[in-house]
């Protein structure tokens, strides 16, 4: 059963804490993406990766970090430097950068 | 600046009605345009993708058109059903050169009343 999975569904962060959001795909896609969605705003690109061991900053990369050590996995770390982390985070993948993007179910991050 | 705008922000229609959702973009040098559906608290589902060289795409009761020169796309939904209720997002892909990204509109929230 192919697709993109994100975990956890809900995540709570304490002040000053780093948290990591998981994204895994078994679609054999080269490209993967992280977006942030806030109420009343369109999705905004945080980071993207065209291929393993390579990634690029999107429009709002400050306070976030990523890694792409495996083709299937693209974890996102929300660091303590991100002062307004409360949002819905969506991971996506595509065969190539210009291809149709397929989205995971999302992770909602809340600050305690 | 590359921007994508969707009008209206919200729409409520009775079941069975045909409807049109609008999307406009400021930079016409697009690579392709996608329409997505998002149910509350869920991820996005791709509905239709139109390449920049195409004029329209159809899937079932959905038809998307693209007019690059005027910077507009429409999503036509025929014979709407309550199950069509969701937020519909338009996204434009700019690819090649310095920009490689999908830019999203803020969406149209559709409610189909039974």
């Amino acid at each position: 059963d192919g697709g993109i999975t994100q975990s956890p569904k809900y995540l709570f962060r304490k002040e000053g804490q780093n948290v990591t959001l998981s994204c895994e795909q078994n679609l054999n896609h080269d490209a993967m993406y992280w977006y942030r969605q806030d109420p009343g705003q369109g999705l905004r690109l945080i980071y993207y990766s065209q291929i393993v061991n390579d990634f690029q900053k999107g429009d709002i990369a400050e306070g976030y970090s990523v890694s792409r050590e495996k083709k299937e996995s693209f974890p996102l770390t929300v660091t303590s430097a991100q002062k307004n982390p409360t949002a819905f985070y969506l991971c996506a993948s595509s065969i190539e950068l210009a291809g149709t993007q397929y989205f995971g179910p999302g992770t909602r991050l809340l600050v305690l | 600046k590359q921007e994508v705008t969707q009008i209206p922000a919200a729409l409520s229609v009775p079941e069975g009605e045909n409807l049109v959702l609008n999307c406009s973009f400021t930079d016409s040098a697009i690579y392709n345009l996608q329409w997505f559906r998002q149910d509350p608290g869920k991820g996005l589902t791709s509905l239709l993708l139109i390449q920049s060289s195409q004029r329209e795409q159809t899937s079932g009761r959905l038809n998307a058109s693209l007019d690059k020169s005027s910077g507009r796309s429409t999503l036509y939904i025929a014979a709407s059903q309550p199950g069509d209720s969701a937020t519909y997002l338009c996204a434009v892909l700019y690819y090649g050169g310095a920009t490689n990204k999908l830019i999203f509109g803020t969406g149209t929230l559709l409610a189909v009343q039974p």
Side-chain angles (χ1 to χ4, degrees):
Chain A
D1 192 20
I4 302 176
T5 57
Q6 291 185 242
S7 62
K9 187 172 182 180
Y10 296 96
L11 186 58
F12 298 91
R13 193 190 92 162
K14 294 180 182 178
E15 202 73 38
Q17 187 181 38
N18 293 352
V19 292
T20 297
L21 285 62
S22 169
C23 177
E24 304 276 332
Q25 54 97 0
N26 61 5
L27 300 168
N28 201 32
H29 286 173
D30 282 320
M32 297 186 75
Y33 315 80
W34 274 105
Y35 293 92
R36 170 179 171 142
Q37 187 175 33
D38 296 279
Q41 296 192 45
L43 274 71
R44 293 181 291 168
L45 183 65
I46 305 173
Y47 268 98
Y48 68 96
S49 169
Q50 191 169 357
I51 201 166
V52 174
N53 292 322
D54 176 72
F55 49 83
Q56 304 294 329
K57 291 182 179 180
D59 296 320
I60 54 165
E62 186 174 349
Y64 300 97
S65 66
V66 293
S67 63
R68 187 86 187 276
E69 297 176 2
K70 298 187 300 181
K71 189 175 186 176
E72 304 79 19
S73 179
F74 191 41
L76 173 74
T77 296
V78 184
T79 74
S80 57
Q82 173 49 245
K83 298 306 179 189
N84 185 23
T86 297
F88 190 50
Y89 290 85
L90 288 159
C91 177
S93 71
S94 60
I95 292 176
E96 54 177 3
L97 270 188
T100 300
Q101 292 189 17
Y102 296 88
F103 283 76
T107 292
R108 189 164 298 280
L109 177 60
L110 301 165
V111 178
L112 295 176
Chain B
K1 186 181 177 185
Q2 295 163 332
E3 293 181 341
V4 179
T5 304
Q6 291 187 247
I7 295 174
L11 181 64
S12 181
V13 300
E15 183 177 2
E17 195 163 293
N18 301 326
L19 59 100
V20 174
L21 307 180
N22 296 294
C23 172
S24 60
F25 44 94
T26 54
D27 183 350
S28 62
I30 69 171
Y31 189 84
N32 63 42
L33 182 146
Q34 284 185 252
W35 283 94
F36 293 90
R37 168 186 173 139
Q38 185 176 31
D39 293 291
K42 302 290 175 85
L44 278 63
T45 300
S46 180
L47 298 173
L48 290 164
L49 182 147
I50 311 177
Q51 300 292 350
S52 61
S53 58
Q54 296 176 319
R55 297 285 291 185
E56 65 178 320
Q57 281 286 346
T58 298
S59 176
R61 294 183 293 110
L62 305 179
N63 176 277
S65 68
L66 175 63
D67 184 342
K68 247 181 61 170
S69 60
S70 66
R72 292 180 182 180
S73 175
T74 62
L75 179 67
Y76 175 83
I77 302 177
S80 59
Q81 302 170 358
D84 294 330
S85 299
T87 297
Y88 290 81
L89 296 162
C90 164
V92 173
L93 179 67
Y94 294 98
Y95 180 65
T99 302
N100 293 298
K101 63 180 178 182
L102 203 55
I103 298 179
F104 285 82
T106 53
T108 294
L109 176 61
L110 173 65
V112 180
Q113 308 300 331

